[in-house]
Amino acid sequence: MCMPHLPRDFPHNAIHFVFGDFNLPMDRALDAEIFHTNHISGRVECVEWLSHLAVLDSWRLHHPAERVFTGPTNTNRLDYIFANADLVRSCYQDSGYKRLPNSHAGDHAIHWLTLADHGVPRAKGRWQLPRELLSIPQVKEAILEEAQQLLYQLETAHNPGVLWHGWQKRTRRFLQHAKYLQMQRSAVSTAQATEEQSQIEQPLLEFEEQFQEIIDVQAQYRKDRVFDFHATSNENSTKHFFRPPKKVLHHVPIAQVKLPDGTGFVKGRRIHDHAIFLQDLQHYCSRENIEGYAAFLDFSKAYDMVQLDYMLDVLGTMGIGPKFRAWPPPLCTSLFFANDSTLLAKSLGDLSAQLQLVQHYYQASGACLNINKSQVLTLNNSQNVPHHEELPMVATGTPVRYLGILLGHNLRQVDTLSDKFYSAFLTWSCRARTVRGRKLLVQTVILPILWHFTAAVVVAPKRLQRWQTLVNAFIQRRHTDPTTRSISLIQAAHQYDKKLGWRMPHIASIICKQRIACLQLLVQEKTATDHQWNYLARVAFRQ
């Protein structure tokens, strides 16, 4: 924070509220689980400015020893509401934090503060005569008659003061009772008028509701007719829809994109190989009970901060010719730039040494590491998650996304995938009303959710059977609940037959084919560089 840019000129009687994401913990001991050096920048100036405005943290004032973390990584408290000190002391009612599941507040927790006027209890005031009572003839006549009798009694009484005080008390009780009766009559008359008005308006409201219901039914019927027409005529997959890309796209004007060590864009290698390799490494470390870590680094505003000359030199080293590099910079550099990287280390000491090399890379390229989005995964599932001074560690059971695959320490991956797979049926169930349309949705939209995960994640046969049952029930009967049992409309032998049956996709067969193809690529060794990629897979296959 820069102090000259913070406003200070306010009216002398202004009431200040300062709230939002301060991007730094105010209390190092209570508001941060892991202390970082960037927590110091601007903290003193910010505290000085808040003191000048005479505001305080109301939540911390009433929770002096409680620790709540609201940041994206759930390791520090960055969101505050600073309110006027006098207002908090006199009107504070409640405050707290809450993290919503759908996150309307983004990746931060919601902070709220409730102020209320508690009020001061007051004593019962003196009763005063309502002037509207004097407009009632019976009340007026009663007061005059009582006054005439009182005057006669006062002339002959030995204690006129006591007589006068008693008359005042009797008259006050009489007038209070008269006021009560007047209010009762007014309430009864208002209720009768309201009831008569409702009896008149009730039939009209019923007719309006019936008329609106008929209009809604007719409108829905017209929409259903139009939808059924388009569903019957358009829900048909053609060869044009599944046509391969044009051959002209295969002519890439780059002869070779490969680094000197053989890595890069290698023919026959897929993006799943990286996820499979990391999972094999995690399985190997857990089985052999050895230490291992994977650090997922994220660069802060990578494209804006990295120097252009550095990126062009890297492109030239990768084998990209001068014609391509002569393109305008936004075109040629945005095609070959990544904003994250992964480091593998045997120990936390080796990881710290690698981070020092990353610092040298920052100095040469101009990049900057985003500490809040970088994480370290413990590969050994039998090992407790340790503490790292520079990067946050992934907690046990917390998923971290790596190339679209969820990884974690003792993480149940298949359960998370099943929840996403089941929710897709609820999302797309209203889009197709014919068997052909539902089968097309399953093949092109729903099942592709599985293929990316199953290429790297092993799924038990019982789970595959539950998935297949839901797919069959959705195509045949439009069922979306995985717990609902349904009777198949066709024999099991004809459900998956491509000539005589319904040609429904068989999940177990597709995944088996996918795994066999992956195994063939991993066990074969075409070049010397393939050894470092498929070594763990070959060891597991031999065992």
Side-chain angles (χ1 to χ4, degrees):
M1 294 186 180
C2 186
M3 285 300 297
H5 297 290
L6 296 176
R8 291 174 177 265
D9 297 332
F10 297 101
H12 67 281
N13 57 349
I15 299 177
H16 300 285
F17 286 87
V18 183
F19 52 89
D21 179 9
F22 281 66
N23 204 25
L24 57 88
M26 292 298 174
D27 193 327
R28 302 180 186 176
L30 297 178
D31 293 347
E33 184 178 15
I34 302 175
F35 177 72
H36 297 288
T37 55
N38 56 359
H39 292 169
I40 303 176
S41 177
R43 181 179 176 276
V44 177
E45 293 82 355
C46 181
V47 173
E48 180 184 356
W49 180 65
L50 295 174
S51 302
H52 175 77
L53 299 181
V55 294
L56 53 83
D57 184 4
S58 58
W59 185 87
R60 178 58 68 193
L61 180 65
H62 294 82
H63 304 80
E66 187 174 350
R67 303 187 73 186
V68 172
F69 301 140
T70 66
T73 59
N74 204 22
T75 57
N76 44 38
R77 184 167 77 104
L78 306 177
D79 305 274
Y80 298 88
I81 296 181
F82 291 89
N84 182 268
D86 297 334
L87 191 63
V88 170
R89 295 187 181 97
S90 60
C91 301
Y92 177 84
Q93 182 174 351
D94 189 18
S95 64
Y97 290 90
K98 184 177 182 181
R99 193 177 291 273
L100 297 179
N102 294 333
S103 157
H104 296 285
D107 50 2
H108 289 253
I110 294 178
H111 185 19
W112 80 88
L113 169 65
T114 304
L115 302 176
D117 186 7
H118 302 291
V120 180
R122 298 180 181 180
K124 187 177 181 180
R126 295 183 58 185
W127 183 83
Q128 295 182 356
L129 171 65
R131 294 183 178 273
E132 60 269 14
L133 291 180
L134 299 178
S135 61
I136 303 176
Q138 294 83 353
V139 175
K140 187 175 181 180
E141 293 176 0
I143 293 176
L144 291 175
E145 185 177 354
E146 287 282 341
Q148 291 177 0
Q149 296 178 1
L150 178 65
L151 288 176
Y152 177 76
Q153 295 176 0
L154 287 176
E155 292 177 356
T156 58
H158 298 286
N159 50 355
V162 176
L163 186 64
W164 169 256
H165 183 68
W167 180 82
Q168 282 183 331
K169 293 180 62 176
R170 292 193 304 272
T171 305
R172 183 169 62 248
R173 286 197 297 268
F174 167 72
L175 294 175
Q176 289 176 350
H177 184 66
K179 178 62 177 179
Y180 173 75
L181 294 178
Q182 183 187 23
M183 294 174 60
Q184 290 289 335
R185 294 192 188 96
S186 177
V188 170
S189 59
T190 303
Q192 292 177 352
T194 304
E195 184 178 359
E196 294 175 357
Q197 184 69 20
S198 62
Q199 291 178 356
I200 297 174
E201 295 179 352
Q202 187 65 26
L204 181 59
L205 293 177
E206 293 179 356
F207 290 140
E208 290 181 354
E209 291 178 357
Q210 294 177 1
F211 179 72
Q212 186 64 35
E213 184 178 356
I214 294 174
I215 293 178
D216 295 341
V217 171
Q218 292 179 351
Q220 186 64 35
Y221 176 74
R222 288 193 296 268
K223 292 180 180 179
D224 292 344
R225 289 288 302 273
V226 175
F227 187 88
D228 292 340
F229 172 76
H230 288 287
T232 305
S233 59
N234 295 337
E235 288 181 353
N236 185 15
S237 58
T238 61
K239 293 183 179 180
H240 179 77
F241 183 79
F242 295 103
R243 70 189 187 280
K246 297 181 179 180
K247 293 184 179 181
V248 69
L249 299 178
H250 297 168
H251 299 288
V252 182
I254 302 175
Q256 186 180 13
V257 181
K258 185 182 295 186
L259 294 178
D261 60 350
T263 60
F265 299 93
V266 182
K267 183 178 180 180
R269 189 165 297 161
R270 308 163 306 161
I271 192 174
H272 299 100
D273 295 344
H274 298 265
I276 294 173
F277 172 76
L278 194 57
Q279 286 203 124
D280 290 342
L281 184 60
Q282 188 175 15
H283 177 70
Y284 176 77
C285 293
S286 302
R287 185 186 61 193
E288 301 295 334
N289 195 19
I290 60 176
E291 189 177 7
Y293 303 95
F296 305 105
L297 306 182
D298 184 86
F299 300 146
S300 177
K301 297 181 180 179
Y303 183 76
D304 298 332
M305 301 182 66
V306 175
Q307 300 176 4
L308 178 61
D309 296 339
Y310 170 80
M311 287 191 288
L312 293 178
D313 292 341
V314 171
L315 293 178
T317 305
M318 295 177 64
I320 298 177
K323 292 184 179 181
F324 184 85
R325 285 180 290 164
W327 288 7
L331 295 177
C332 64
T333 56
S334 61
L335 295 177
F336 297 94
F337 196 80
N339 63 343
D340 53 11
S341 181
T342 305
L343 301 179
L344 300 177
K346 295 182 179 179
S347 62
L348 293 179
D350 295 343
L351 183 60
S352 300
Q354 290 180 348
L355 290 177
Q356 293 180 0
L357 297 178
V358 174
Q359 292 292 341
H360 293 297
Y361 167 76
Y362 295 157
Q363 296 175 0
S365 63
C368 180
L369 183 63
N370 191 348
I371 299 294
N372 294 329
K373 291 186 178 181
S374 300
Q375 296 174 306
V376 178
L377 173 63
T378 305
L379 297 179
N380 188 355
N381 291 327
S382 303
Q383 173 189 351
N384 295 328
V385 178
H387 172 71
H388 194 268
E389 297 180 355
E390 301 181 35
L391 295 177
M393 303 293 294
V394 179
T396 301
T398 303
V400 57
R401 190 174 297 275
Y402 176 71
L403 299 177
I405 305 297
L406 295 179
L407 302 177
H409 185 261
N410 287 326
L411 178 67
R412 303 182 65 177
Q413 299 170 297
V414 183
D415 293 341
T416 306
L417 175 59
S418 293
D419 295 339
K420 185 177 181 181
F421 179 64
Y422 293 151
S423 62
F425 288 95
L426 298 175
T427 304
W428 295 96
S429 61
C430 60
R431 299 300 300 272
R433 300 189 178 185
T434 62
V435 174
R436 181 182 298 174
R438 291 193 290 271
K439 186 170 66 172
L440 181 62
L441 277 177
V442 168
Q443 292 176 339
T444 59
V445 178
I446 299 178
L447 287 182
I449 298 175
L450 300 178
W451 307 149
H452 181 68
F453 283 86
T454 54
V457 179
V458 179
V459 184
K462 292 184 178 180
R463 186 64 62 95
L464 296 179
Q465 182 61 36
R466 289 198 292 268
W467 290 351
Q468 187 67 59
T469 302
L470 181 58
V471 169
N472 297 344
F474 176 75
I475 294 177
Q476 297 180 18
R477 297 181 177 272
R478 202 180 177 184
H479 290 173
T480 59
D481 188 359
T483 61
T484 302
R485 294 185 177 182
S486 61
I487 300 176
S488 178
L489 301 178
I490 187 175
Q491 294 183 0
H494 296 156
Q495 288 181 354
Y496 315 108
D497 195 294
K498 295 185 178 180
K499 296 182 179 179
L500 303 177
W502 283 21
R503 302 180 182 179
M504 288 193 295
H506 191 254
I507 300 178
S509 300
I510 298 175
I511 293 180
C512 183
K513 178 181 177 181
Q514 188 181 44
R515 301 295 293 180
I516 292 176
C518 178
L519 183 61
Q520 289 177 344
L521 292 175
L522 291 175
V523 297
Q524 63 183 355
E525 191 170 327
K526 297 181 179 180
T527 61
T529 57
D530 289 338
H531 181 73
Q532 60 182 347
W533 288 96
N534 56 20
Y535 173 75
L536 294 176
R538 294 169 64 89
V539 171
F541 181 71
R542 286 195 298 266
Q543 294 178 351

